[in-house]
Amino acid sequence: MNKTFVTQPFLPPLEEFVPYLESIWESKWLTNAGPFHQQLETSLTEYLGVEHIALFTNATVALVTALQSLRITGEVITTPYSFVATAHSLLWNGIKPVFVDIDPITFNLDPSKIEAAITPQTTAIMPVHVYGYPCDVDRIQKIADTYGLKVIYDAAHAFGVDCHCVACSSTATFQCSASTPQKYLTLLKVGLSSVPMAKPKQRIDYLKNFGFADELTVVAPVSMAR
């Protein structure tokens, strides 16, 4: 019986990939921000036009770390129309997801329904850009600014999607994307978080690397929270 694939990764000829493997084998640098890791971060930063990027194993870990970096607690308004990892990233941080309905046309979080779900425990909004179609970021950001909320976008389906917004450069906004065979960017399993400023970027790097500031200094969680 022939299999029918919804999608498949586009791979370069193996002979073009081998020299990169040979370089890795020669350096024996497989982990901890090796040369290819650094090169990918730099290239993605330039391509996406953002100030900073942090690479992760997947977008779920990027979301978990972004929430910790922003010290999000209490309740977060999000969408029920997403892969379960969106809600998991909140639950794994001890945060209560509050589901708000979606727009029937775009399938994105409906901004007109957000304010009714805000309570004294609400600290952030986590929308999802569905199928590469951006959320109404202007309306969402206006609501967030009015109520003093953070915004973290689950952009796992929207790598490189361009829109007029400035939400990604907001000091309170993170955007977490992913690259898997089901996404627009087809790589090995990779997640990334676009980070608006140097200080949050440093905090994220500490969080994802056990608090190591250098070879002799480990930053305690209390220090990272400041």
Side-chain angles (χ1 to χ4, degrees), residues 22-51:
E22 291 174 340
S23 176
I24 294 172
W25 255 248
E26 183 178 353
S27 70
K28 295 182 172 60
W29 194 346
L30 303 180
T31 60
N32 297 332
F36 285 108
H37 179 116
Q38 297 175 41
Q39 182 181 337
L40 181 58
E41 277 198 0
T42 300
S43 298
L44 288 172
T45 299
E46 294 172 353
Y47 178 78
L48 295 173
V50 296
E51 292 293 324

Side-chain angles (χ1 to χ4, degrees), residues 37-188:
H37 179 116
Q38 297 175 41
Q39 182 181 337
L40 181 58
E41 277 198 0
T42 300
S43 298
L44 288 172
T45 299
E46 294 172 353
Y47 178 78
L48 295 173
V50 296
E51 292 293 324
H52 306 281
I53 276 179
L55 293 178
F56 292 87
T57 303
N58 53 54
T60 308
V61 178
L63 286 170
V64 168
T65 308
L67 290 162
Q68 291 184 9
S69 177
L70 292 173
R71 298 183 289 280
I72 303 299
T73 58
E75 298 177 358
V76 169
I77 293 172
T78 189
T79 169
Y81 193 73
S82 180
F83 185 59
V84 292
T86 306
H88 284 173
S89 70
L90 296 168
L91 293 168
W92 292 341
N93 275 303
I95 300 166
K96 179 183 177 181
V98 176
F99 295 114
V100 166
D101 207 353
I102 60 173
D103 182 285
I105 304 300
T106 66
F107 302 123
N108 288 326
L109 187 67
D110 189 342
S112 68
K113 294 181 170 62
I114 291 177
E115 289 187 271
I118 295 175
T119 73
Q121 286 71 48
T122 306
T123 56
I125 307 170
M126 184 184 284
V128 177
H129 301 310
V130 177
Y131 306 137
Y133 190 88
C135 297
D136 191 337
V137 294
D138 291 331
R139 291 178 65 188
I140 291 171
Q141 193 62 50
K142 185 176 181 179
I143 294 169
D145 292 341
T146 299
Y147 291 90
L149 306 176
K150 301 289 198 306
V151 182
I152 305 98
Y153 280 98
D154 182 337
H157 277 212
F159 175 85
V161 172
D162 190 21
C163 64
H164 70 283
C165 70
V166 294
C168 291
S169 61
S170 166
T171 58
T173 302
F174 283 30
Q175 185 148 286
C176 301
S177 302
S179 60
T180 68
Q182 302 98 322
K183 307 293 193 310
Y184 289 103
L185 175 64
T186 304
L187 296 172
L188 300 175

